[in-house]
Amino acid sequence: MNRKTIKELKEIVGAGHLVTAREDLMCYSYDGTGMEYMPSAVVFPGSASEVCRIMEIAGRERFPVIPRGAGTGMTGGALAVEGGLVMAMSRLDRILEIDAENQVAVVEPGVITGRFQETVRRQGLFYPPDPASQAFCTMGGNVAECSGGPSAVKYGVTRDYVLGLEVVLPSGKLIRTGVRTAKGVVGYDLTRLFIGSEGTLGIVTKIIVRLLALPTSTRTYLVLTDSLRQATELVAEILKSGILPKTLEYMDQTALQVVNEHLPLSLPENTRALLLVEVDGDRGSTEEQGSRLLALLADRKTYPGILATRQAAGESEAAELWKARRSISPATFRLRPHKISEDVVVPKTAIPTLVAFTEKLARELDLVILTFGHAGDGNIHVNIMADRGDAAEWQRAGKAKKLLFEQVIALSGTLSGEHGIGITKAPYLSLEIEEESLELMRKIKRVFDPDNILNPGKIFTTAQEKP
Amino acid sequence: MNRKTIKELKEIVGAGHLVTAREDLMCYSYDGTGMEYMPSAVVFPGSASEVCRIMEIAGRERFPVIPRGAGTGMTGGALAVEGGLVMAMSRLDRILEIDAENQVAVVEPGVITGRFQETVRRQGLFYPPDPASQAFCTMGGNVAECSGGPSAVKYGVTRDYVLGLEVVLPSGKLIRTGVRTAKGVVGYDLTRLFIGSEGTLGIVTKIIVRLLALPTSTRTYLVLTDSLRQATELVAEILKSGILPKTLEYMDQTALQVVNEHLPLSLPENTRALLLVEVDGDRGSTEEQGSRLLALLADRKTYPGILATRQAAGESEAAELWKARRSISPATFRLRPHKISEDVVVPKTAIPTLVAFTEKLARELDLVILTFGHAGDGNIHVNIMADRGDAAEWQRAGKAKKLLFEQVIALSGTLSGEHGIGITKAPYLSLEIEEESLELMRKIKRVFDPDNILNPGKIFTTAQEKP
């Protein structure tokens, strides 16, 4: 990007909305992975038509454009791995419409997910996708990664709520996909092709989502066990009993330790795992589900590992428990300065096997590995802690990651439930996806982006992690 | 297709599994539209590898292949509009696996949807998509069209239940897409690209679906009104009250007349519409939803058009009501020998406007038009009845269809909620989808099927309806 191009871009967005100073670029050089790649410039478009004009210039000059939400991604999707122009969507942050009668909303990509949820909640409406980073992450980033969170076990992920999109193609042309109605099957499903494409096919400039009525009742339950196996085995049992919890999360002992100060309860000394079960719906339903859950858990003969079971004492305790749950990921850095964080998914019945495997890996490779996450849908967060400065340890961590992925595939699982591939998983993509499918995907990429200017180096390449 | 090709195909599937006699071809020349196109041959593959080998020959000889389920489609997706080989998937009819613990099943495309639902129900499991043709239609056809049914208002459509697919590409290569876990975001979403692609991108040979626990309680309610507007206005009111019914269907007066003999009740003379509301869940929830519904409907001051409200007397009456509902479409032929059947969708609050518009169309164009369907999600079945032999009437029916589509788009709706585009809506596709998006779709088609041998003439062309 030469000086003339920078000038041209500034003319589009206004001089104040493009930065090139090193200290400014720094802020947009990293993401949730902790890796860093410096872009040449960062632009802050103020409208879809500005995005179109920027893409026209990028196409002419052939520089990479990397769309960026809040940079909370866990696989490097927002990193400028080949340099170029980071396009920060933070100015496109308007909630354009909340149509309460039809339970539909239209937002710009820079809207913070948590803010959107709070806004619709005040109108008695509910937008379920709830990534742990919801206080910071954006709706556009959620679409790019098809984000999910604890409530996915009952409510699904971003894909299940997006009805339609407005997207600027790499060519600079703007299209609208999908519908704003509950159903729609007209033409190929471009909407869901964009969702989870990690910003490689187009830049989302508008998102139409469906909303639900806000459930009127929620109950949160805590289960402590003296073994991780007991906790993970309970997951399938709870779901089999006909309860469909809003969330069914677990934390292993190490996860509990790192968030100990946030926990609103003191744990018995032999606690090895905690299950967090939330049921929601109308009052009749949460009452029935709650009783059914307590009845199941009362059977200590079948489940001898249960140490304690109780309902959270009111909303405030439930809120504290959730705060603790969401703080695990950042809090892990107390253990080791870096980590490899994976969000693998296995069938629910395979969770105990997977978790036992990670414990074995930790022992055999002399690593700290903690697991926690969305047990209800088999989406387990495996955090392999290590110090990048310690070459031997970092190498063992990399080995653990590869062995983990192989085990996940052997268990009929998938490498990513919500974080995507980005660059950190790209070298492992072929473990899961056969060459013929990859070739189709690469051809689809070329249909949308023949010159490979949009977020190049993601998903399909084997860009190495920097040490 | 010359004799040598036929011989070669017979060697693949066995002589008994390929037919060319006119009387045999006849059975595979039509579908739910009533239109007819004779294929050159019909083949019945017995395995995915046979499908692969057939596609290799089709690619070499460049003849069209038209995958076909039960032929219940409403837009001509299974018709051999350019001749060629119909590939009937009826022999691939095995339920390969029901993994009750993980709530996942694997089926072949020829499995009849209703049979599958019944089979999983016996294990306490629930597969929600319920097209009216569920007693005949197949899982493969449902994937091709992204079928839905009455329960979509609460449970969504086929897209929301398919986790992964095995697909034979037009090249004859076999790929696997998606996952068999609750979540998965690895690579582009090929699974949902195939879903709803109407058999134009690949031939599905295996389907992995997620299942739910079977709800333990269901309650069905009937509401009779003295005006269609009152009935359609109630739809948004019911949903706004926080009730999320499993189904929220309506029938207008003409629909009620054609199914009168199936109705388990006699209607007051001034009945103009019927609403059928079903709530499901656990007992606590259906009790609460039921009371809330009855309380809402008891307010005759706000809703003066309500003539009667009552709960269906047990399962048998509910079953009879549903039988009546499902028999509307075939029963309409009592009114006129042919029809144009559309499944447009509008925002829920626009239903009264749309229905009033169809009444106006019927008056002004001197046609019988009846409307019924999935009011809860705005998916209205508009049946324009006419006699193809009466050129003037048939022309007026065509005019009504075009005006209907224009009105639907003006109301922010979509041309199809579950039937797809096929050939009957292809001429109107550009009313909804802009050229830039259509061009992307055509390019995607070329990625998958560069020689256009798989189900050619569908979605993107403007093949005319035969008179």
Side-chain angles (χ1 to χ4, degrees):
Chain A
M1 297 174 65
N2 57 32
R3 210 174 281 189
K4 195 175 145 279
T5 307
I6 295 288
K7 186 163 170 277
E8 218 176 336
L9 292 170
K10 280 188 175 173
E11 276 161 17
I12 293 170
V13 294
H17 300 304
L18 186 138
V19 297
T20 51
R22 198 178 156 76
E23 60 273 27
D24 291 325
L25 300 184
M26 286 273 291
C27 304
Y28 297 86
S29 67
Y30 66 90
D31 72 353
T33 61
M35 290 186 277
E36 280 184 45
Y37 291 88
M38 285 295 271
S40 305
V42 182
V43 68
F44 303 84
S47 68
S49 71
E50 288 180 8
V51 175
C52 294
R53 289 164 66 199
I54 295 165
M55 290 314 297
E56 281 165 19
I57 294 174
R60 192 190 72 207
E61 303 289 330
R62 301 279 170 95
F63 57 79
V65 176
I66 304 96
R68 181 181 175 96
T72 55
M74 303 296 277
T75 56
L79 296 177
V81 293
E82 302 184 7
L85 180 69
V86 163
M87 188 183 283
M89 308 306 282
S90 47
R91 288 176 67 211
L92 294 173
D93 67 345
R94 290 175 302 168
I95 296 173
L96 297 169
E97 189 187 343
I98 297 172
D99 177 349
E101 299 267 313
N102 288 303
Q103 302 185 317
V104 165
V106 185
V107 302
E108 290 185 324
V111 169
I112 289 168
T113 307
R115 185 191 134 217
F116 177 61
Q117 285 167 327
E118 208 29 67
T119 308
V120 301
R121 176 186 299 269
R122 285 198 292 270
Q123 299 193 30
L125 295 164
F126 180 35
Y127 178 72
D130 54 352
S133 56
Q134 63 192 356
F136 316 100
C137 68
T138 64
M139 295 290 286
N142 291 179
V143 169
E145 301 296 328
C146 190
S147 305
S151 75
V153 56
K154 177 169 182 178
Y155 289 106
V157 296
T158 302
R159 173 200 297 138
D160 302 304
Y161 292 87
V162 176
L163 298 173
L165 296 170
E166 180 186 89
V167 182
V168 176
L169 299 175
S171 64
K173 297 227 173 76
L174 183 141
I175 64 167
R176 276 161 288 260
T177 73
V179 291
R180 57 172 290 154
T181 49
K183 282 179 179 165
V185 293
V186 171
Y188 297 152
D189 192 345
L190 297 184
T191 306
R192 283 161 198 89
L193 190 57
F194 283 113
I195 296 171
S197 67
E198 310 192 26
T200 64
L201 298 180
I203 299 171
V204 171
T205 49
K206 213 175 272 178
I207 307 163
I208 307 172
V209 297
R210 73 183 181 101
L211 303 168
L212 303 178
L214 192 64
T216 50
S217 172
T218 301
R219 290 170 179 229
T220 305
Y221 298 85
L222 271 179
V223 189
L224 303 176
T225 65
D226 68 4
S227 88
L228 185 52
R229 172 165 285 272
Q230 179 72 90
T232 53
E233 282 173 354
L234 274 171
V235 171
E237 296 298 320
I238 291 170
L239 293 165
K240 232 171 58 183
S241 77
I243 300 166
L244 183 51
K246 177 187 178 185
T247 59
L248 178 39
E249 297 282 305
Y250 88 100
M251 309 181 198
D252 75 3
Q253 196 181 0
T254 316
L256 285 170
Q257 276 160 8
V258 299
V259 297
N260 194 34
E261 71 187 59
H262 293 298
L263 287 173
L265 71 167
S266 56
L267 303 173
E269 208 164 300
N270 54 340
T271 305
R272 293 291 173 272
L274 178 150
L275 281 181
L276 197 54
V277 190
E278 202 178 18
V279 294
D280 73 346
D282 48 38
R283 203 172 35 75
S285 176
T286 56
E287 258 176 40
E288 188 164 330
Q289 291 188 76
S291 329
R292 203 182 294 180
L293 178 69
L294 291 177
L296 176 91
L297 297 172
D299 179 4
R300 298 292 164 94
K301 215 166 153 187
T302 311
Y303 310 114
I306 298 177
L307 294 173
T309 299
R310 71 173 168 91
Q311 193 179 341
E315 272 182 42
S316 66
E317 192 184 78
E320 281 180 74
L321 282 165
W322 277 106
K323 196 176 157 195
R325 161 63 188 87
R326 275 192 293 266
S327 63
I328 297 175
S329 192
T332 54
F333 293 110
R334 292 180 200 167
L335 300 170
R336 305 293 292 150
H338 306 106
K339 69 170 163 178
I340 295 176
S341 166
E342 300 303 338
D343 66 318
V344 296
V345 194
V346 292
K348 290 175 274 262
T349 52
I351 299 175
T353 309
L354 182 79
V355 167
F357 181 81
T358 63
E359 291 182 314
K360 182 167 152 273
L361 273 184
R363 274 195 313 275
E364 291 181 0
L365 293 169
D366 188 22
L367 290 164
V368 177
I369 302 181
L370 67 164
T371 65
F372 60 94
H374 320 314
D377 50 33
N379 189 186
I380 305 300
H381 291 285
V382 179
N383 281 205
I384 305 166
M385 306 308 302
D387 182 348
R388 275 186 187 153
D390 178 341
E393 186 176 71
W394 193 245
Q395 200 185 6
R396 292 201 306 282
K399 189 175 172 193
K401 171 177 172 169
K402 183 159 184 284
L403 292 169
L404 170 72
F405 282 169
E406 286 168 358
Q407 175 70 9
V408 164
I409 297 298
L411 292 169
S412 301
T414 178
L415 302 187
S416 179
E418 45 193 28
H419 294 171
I421 296 301
I423 55 171
T424 64
K425 296 189 190 183
Y428 307 95
L429 190 58
S430 60
L431 282 179
E432 180 166 343
I433 312 225
E434 335 150 89
E435 180 51 32
E436 193 68 34
S437 295
L438 284 176
E439 190 51 33
L440 280 176
M441 292 179 191
R442 284 188 210 104
K443 284 181 180 165
I444 290 170
K445 166 71 172 170
R446 284 197 287 274
V447 162
F448 285 77
D449 185 16
D451 298 321
N452 196 28
I453 55 171
L454 191 60
N455 212 3
K458 306 296 165 70
I459 305 182
F460 304 111
T461 57
T462 51
Q464 293 304 305
E465 289 193 45
K466 278 209 233 173
Chain B
M1 296 174 65
N2 58 31
R3 212 174 279 187
K4 194 174 146 283
T5 307
I6 295 289
K7 187 163 167 277
E8 217 176 337
L9 291 170
K10 279 188 176 173
E11 276 161 15
I12 292 170
V13 294
H17 299 306
L18 185 141
V19 296
T20 52
R22 198 178 158 74
E23 59 272 27
D24 292 325
L25 299 184
M26 288 273 291
C27 303
Y28 297 87
S29 67
Y30 66 91
D31 73 351
T33 60
M35 289 186 276
E36 280 184 43
Y37 291 90
M38 286 295 273
S40 305
V42 181
V43 68
F44 303 84
S47 69
S49 70
E50 288 181 8
V51 175
C52 292
R53 289 164 66 200
I54 294 165
M55 290 315 296
E56 281 165 19
I57 295 174
R60 193 190 69 207
E61 302 290 329
R62 302 279 169 95
F63 56 79
V65 175
I66 304 95
R68 182 181 174 93
T72 55
M74 304 296 276
T75 55
L79 294 177
V81 293
E82 301 185 6
L85 180 69
V86 163
M87 186 182 286
M89 307 307 282
S90 46
R91 288 176 67 210
L92 294 174
D93 67 345
R94 289 175 303 168
I95 297 172
L96 297 170
E97 189 187 342
I98 298 173
D99 178 349
E101 299 266 314
N102 287 303
Q103 302 184 316
V104 164
V106 185
V107 302
E108 291 185 324
V111 169
I112 289 167
T113 307
R115 185 189 135 220
F116 177 62
Q117 285 167 327
E118 209 28 67
T119 307
V120 301
R121 177 185 298 270
R122 285 197 294 270
Q123 299 193 31
L125 295 165
F126 180 35
Y127 178 72
D130 54 351
S133 56
Q134 60 191 359
F136 316 100
C137 67
T138 64
M139 295 289 286
N142 290 177
V143 169
E145 301 296 329
C146 190
S147 305
S151 75
V153 56
K154 178 169 181 177
Y155 289 106
V157 297
T158 301
R159 173 201 298 139
D160 302 304
Y161 292 88
V162 176
L163 298 173
L165 295 171
E166 181 187 87
V167 182
V168 176
L169 300 175
S171 64
K173 298 228 172 76
L174 183 141
I175 63 167
R176 276 162 289 261
T177 73
V179 290
R180 59 172 289 154
T181 48
K183 281 179 180 167
V185 292
V186 172
Y188 296 152
D189 193 344
L190 297 183
T191 306
R192 285 163 197 86
L193 189 57
F194 283 113
I195 296 171
S197 68
E198 310 192 27
T200 63
L201 298 180
I203 299 172
V204 171
T205 51
K206 213 175 271 177
I207 307 162
I208 307 172
V209 296
R210 74 184 180 102
L211 303 169
L212 303 178
L214 192 64
T216 49
S217 171
T218 300
R219 291 171 179 229
T220 305
Y221 297 85
L222 271 178
V223 188
L224 303 176
T225 65
D226 69 4
S227 87
L228 185 52
R229 171 166 285 272
Q230 179 72 91
T232 53
E233 282 173 353
L234 274 171
V235 171
E237 296 298 320
I238 291 170
L239 292 165
K240 232 171 59 182
S241 78
I243 300 166
L244 182 53
K246 177 187 178 186
T247 59
L248 178 39
E249 297 281 305
Y250 88 101
M251 309 180 199
D252 74 3
Q253 195 181 1
T254 316
L256 284 169
Q257 276 160 8
V258 297
V259 297
N260 194 33
E261 70 186 60
H262 294 297
L263 286 173
L265 72 167
S266 57
L267 303 172
E269 208 164 300
N270 53 340
T271 306
R272 294 291 173 271
L274 178 150
L275 281 182
L276 197 54
V277 190
E278 203 178 17
V279 294
D280 73 347
D282 49 37
R283 204 171 35 77
S285 175
T286 56
E287 259 175 40
E288 187 164 330
Q289 292 187 75
S291 330
R292 203 181 296 179
L293 179 69
L294 292 178
L296 176 90
L297 298 172
D299 178 5
R300 298 293 165 90
K301 212 164 155 187
T302 311
Y303 310 114
I306 297 177
L307 294 173
T309 298
R310 71 173 167 92
Q311 193 179 343
E315 274 182 41
S316 65
E317 191 183 79
E320 281 178 76
L321 282 165
W322 278 105
K323 196 175 153 194
R325 162 63 187 87
R326 277 193 293 267
S327 64
I328 297 174
S329 191
T332 54
F333 292 109
R334 293 181 199 166
L335 299 169
R336 304 293 292 149
H338 307 106
K339 68 170 164 180
I340 295 175
S341 166
E342 299 304 339
D343 67 317
V344 295
V345 195
V346 292
K348 290 174 274 263
T349 51
I351 299 175
T353 309
L354 181 79
V355 168
F357 182 80
T358 64
E359 290 181 316
K360 181 168 153 274
L361 274 183
R363 275 195 312 275
E364 291 182 359
L365 293 168
D366 187 23
L367 290 164
V368 177
I369 301 180
L370 67 166
T371 64
F372 60 93
H374 319 314
D377 50 33
N379 188 189
I380 305 301
H381 291 285
V382 179
N383 281 205
I384 304 165
M385 307 307 303
D387 182 350
R388 274 186 189 154
D390 179 340
E393 186 177 70
W394 193 244
Q395 201 185 5
R396 293 201 305 282
K399 188 175 172 192
K401 171 177 172 168
K402 182 158 185 286
L403 292 169
L404 170 71
F405 283 169
E406 286 168 358
Q407 175 70 9
V408 164
I409 298 298
L411 291 170
S412 302
T414 177
L415 301 186
S416 179
E418 46 193 28
H419 294 171
I421 295 301
I423 55 172
T424 64
K425 296 188 191 182
Y428 307 96
L429 190 58
S430 60
L431 282 179
E432 180 165 343
I433 311 224
E434 335 149 89
E435 181 50 31
E436 194 67 35
S437 295
L438 283 176
E439 190 51 31
L440 280 177
M441 293 181 191
R442 284 188 210 105
K443 283 181 182 167
I444 290 170
K445 166 72 172 170
R446 284 198 286 275
V447 163
F448 286 77
D449 185 16
D451 298 321
N452 196 25
I453 55 172
L454 191 61
N455 212 4
K458 306 296 165 67
I459 305 180
F460 304 111
T461 57
T462 51
Q464 293 304 305
E465 288 192 46
K466 278 207 229 172

